[in-house]
Amino acid sequence: MARYAREVAVVAFAQSDHLRRTDELSEVEMVMPVLHQVLAATGLKAGEIGFTCSGSSDYLAGRAFSFTMTLDGVGAWPPISESHVEMDGAWALYEAWVKIQTGEADTALVYSYGKSSPGSVRDVLTRQLDPYYVAPLWPDSVALAALQAQALIDAGETDEPALAAIGARSRAAAETNPHAQLSGSVPQGDYQVRPLRTGDCPPIGDGVAAVILAAGDLARQLCERPAWITGIDHRIEAHSLGLRDLTDSPSTRIAAEHAGVFEAPVDTAELHAPFSSQEVVLRKALGLGDGVSVNPSGGALAANPVMAAGLIRIGEAAARIHRGESDRAVAHATSGPCLQQNLVAVLEGDRA
Amino acid sequence: MTAASPPQVLRAPLVVEFPFTRSLGPVQSAFLTGLREGVVLGVRTADRKVMVPPVEYDPVTAEEIRELVEVAATGTVTTWAWNDRPRPHQPLDTPFAWVLVKLDGADTALLHVLDAPGPEAVHTGMRVRVRWAAERTGAITDIACFEPYEGPAGGEAAPHDGDFAGAVTGIVAQARLDYVYSPGRAQTAYINALSEQKTVGERCPSCQKVYVPPRGACPTCGVATTDQVEVGPAGTVTTYCIVNIKARNLDIEVPYVYAHIALDGAGLALHGRIGGIPYDQVRMGLRVEPVWTEGGRYPDHYRPTGEPDADYDAYKELI
């Protein structure tokens, strides 16, 4: 606990059902029920929240400044302290955590959402790539992940059956997750971009997640067993894929070191690995042994609302601590192509 | 007041296109101009590593790098991925491999595509060479693709001054993304009502304010607005401005008046153009009504109703 100035915990987590399409809902209509749910879990009113931070990307739905519209679902009157990141909500959570560490807030509402259904997310994500050397080639997210998967296969770190097993395990785990988009036995399918098959790739869908953070004794009042964030850090690597060793994730490892992951065993890991091959990289970077429950929620292979899937990993890890199913969990979020940016958090529950 | 109708979701194509004009620094300018001239350039770092494509700062030390070198147009595949179904805009429209290629003389790899007959013809470690585009402009697509190659390897990277006549100093990054837009339940109801020349808002169950146009949520209370309320058709000008500059493609003579109009029964003002009255006679409190043109999907403008002006106290909360 001495790592940071203040004790901060995830005290509540809520998420939508993750669906292939939500045509009938605008973004605020999609977000609002989840905000109400997470607030209800703590009994806090919107006006009692010290800081609000969201994560999203307008490119997904082709809708400019959509995050300002979703603020309508928060209830931003009287005026609130608010911010937004054009990233996964896990980074919004990091900003909120910093806000609490500085003493400027005692509670924070963090939410994120992705509405991928209006566009073609594989093509949309090409617009986040280097505009000089890479974006003009339109390499889609599956293609870039497939290059990483082939590098892993060439390095002898995995093979296609092992990758298929990761997808199958994830979707089997998701059978106990009522919010998951894909669960149970799902065919591995054809190659999307070889060596990755449909079953190695995440489903495309729309979804929302929200988390409430609170500091110190307030967290204890709001939650029977708070999920204390005892470490959190995020790192970024060179953008160019040709500069990186795609079989490794040094940014994840460094973030994990700074977050204290390796100081004690973890029992749960919620990894944001949208592609089966990326779980191989993350397990190695985090040094996860077979005794760790990896993605008991099903992970991003079961539901991958872009911009929310990383925050969901923190939320799922926290929820396991709230339920007493975990004592020390690691949560991971990623952003950018082939695990370019990685955030790692350690969540711990008080021991009886 | 009626309950909100069940969803009849509107959908329409939405195209987002943007031609970003981007300037190149000295390193990127040399690299892309070199491609136009059929020369592949990289940069050499302080620890003698050659980076292709070149970067301006060392990814490890963050030191500025400006030492240009020329590398071969032949190289080795370091990883690959077979793409059976090329997507729009991708460099080849027949099945191809995505490849990272370490060019002879370089220490880092370049992302591009490889034209090969099938996945069985591709492997990590295979030798490839650049196939130049027929017309080159100074862009990464001046490399049309890579192709299999069995000739001799290129040598070491050689110093290059990076000077070319007519250097490329910028690129236009074209993009087009296609969406199918749905406005959601509340706005669908609003748009559908407008097509019947009616304006409907939604009432907040908490603060009772009627939002026009409705977006499905009360931004003050943060709750869903559920009850539809027809407002107007007449309303009151709450504030206005006189527009003196003609917008491109706008077929309206200036000066004209753009106003905030609080429709009767609405909890906030929407905006519209005022017509049917000289611009310098528009005033706060003026009573107006919408004018629909034949087949119009929304009011073309608002004109005076002829009623006496509204009392300031009647609309001051809506300004």
Side-chain angles (χ1 to χ4, degrees), chain A residues 97-146:
Chain A
W97 175 85
V98 170
K99 195 87 168 176
I100 295 175
Q101 285 298 331
T102 61
E104 291 187 38
D106 297 324
T107 53
L109 168 63
V110 179
Y111 68 95
S112 61
Y113 61 93
K115 194 166 167 59
S116 296
S117 59
S120 165
V121 70
R122 283 175 69 175
D123 301 318
V124 168
L125 289 177
T126 66
R127 300 302 91 191
Q128 70 178 337
L129 301 169
D130 164 13
Y132 304 98
Y133 300 161
V134 181
L137 306 173
W138 292 78
D140 61 280
S141 48
V142 179
L144 296 175

Side-chain angles (χ1 to χ4, degrees), chain A residues 87 91 128-129 239 244 278 334-341:
Chain A
M87 285 190 81
W91 278 264
Q128 70 178 337
L129 301 169
H239 186 102
R244 287 157 52 186
Q278 294 177 343
T334 195
S335 191
C338 297
L339 302 173
Q340 188 198 3
Q341 305 172 50

